[in-house]
Amino acid sequence: AFTVSDTAGTPNCGSGSISAGGLTTTAGSTVTWSSSGYCSFTITQGATNFASGDTFLLASTQASSYSCAQGAGLQPASPISYCAEAAGLNPASGETWSPASYFAAKGAMGQNSTPSVRWRLPTISDYELANVDGIRMVMPDTGIAGTDRPNIDASPGGNVEWSASVSSSYRNGSWFFNGSNGSVNLDGRNLTNAVRCVGR
């Protein structure tokens, strides 16, 4: 058995432990450690068996380029959209982009409702301008979960809301707006935060 730890902390490549699995005293036997979306490595038994206390240091480097193509790591093969209704995108669970299924948080409206509303995810600039104009002073749901809003709409809500703006220097991170204090910052795109759709 062996343990795995990560200098960057959790989540990332580890930590955890694993039993020997397919690794035996026979040369060529192997065992694989995987952390979905982060790393995978295989240990292969050599002619001299591993001994208690053996330590392996594995170093990785950040990829020099990223791809936002579907199924390429930063974008799932079947991308989900909570706001925009467009070809190549899929509605979130519980919504079919038909008049009877639009979320209550959208006023039960969308592209196919009457009246028709075209939703999009706001950019970080949209949020910054809205904050200057006092969004946190007039929107009763800013920074509050849907279950605690004046009009309960069952949306997850929360302080942090994703924007449509991706960082130019950190492609697997996106900008977010904090509705409780008006700050903006970056977060990894693998994390779950709330979204606020804006319509026209």
Side-chain angles (χ1 to χ4, degrees):
F2 62 89
T3 59
V4 179
S5 60
D6 192 319
T7 58
T10 303
N12 276 303
C13 195
S15 57
S17 61
I18 189 169
S19 61
L23 190 67
T24 67
T25 56
T26 303
S29 61
T30 64
V31 65
T32 298
W33 168 270
S34 294
S35 178
S36 180
Y38 290 101
C39 74
S40 179
F41 61 85
T42 300
I43 295 177
T44 304
Q45 183 70 269
T48 302
N49 286 173
F50 298 125
S52 178
D54 282 352
T55 301
F56 301 88
L57 299 177
L58 306 178
S60 62
T61 56
Q62 184 171 317
S64 59
S65 63
Y66 297 94
S67 172
C68 292
Q70 289 179 218
L74 296 182
Q75 179 70 271
S78 298
I80 296 172
S81 173
Y82 282 84
C83 297
E85 299 175 51
L89 300 177
N90 301 287
S93 177
E95 188 172 38
T96 61
W97 292 342
S98 62
S101 78
Y102 285 114
F103 291 140
K106 294 179 178 177
M109 294 184 292
Q111 180 179 339
N112 299 310
S113 67
T114 303
S116 177
V117 177
R118 299 298 297 265
W119 298 103
R120 68 175 176 85
L121 189 64
T123 66
I124 201 63
S125 296
D126 291 329
Y127 271 117
E128 290 176 320
L129 288 171
N131 192 46
V132 168
D133 289 337
I135 185 175
R136 293 182 297 117
M137 311 307 154
V138 298
M139 293 289 288
D141 63 349
T142 303
I144 302 173
T147 53
D148 297 325
R149 293 174 179 170
N151 296 313
I152 297 174
D153 59 19
S155 60
N159 290 342
V160 175
E161 299 176 1
W162 283 123
S163 80
S165 303
V166 178
S167 170
S168 61
S169 59
Y170 179 59
R171 298 301 293 171
N172 54 347
S174 286
W175 289 94
F176 67 79
F177 175 75
N178 189 321
S180 65
N181 58 26
S183 64
V184 299
N185 212 329
L186 285 172
D187 221 344
R189 291 165 64 187
N190 61 310
L191 302 177
T192 301
N193 291 318
V195 295
R196 177 184 299 274
C197 303
V198 293
R200 58 178 171 81

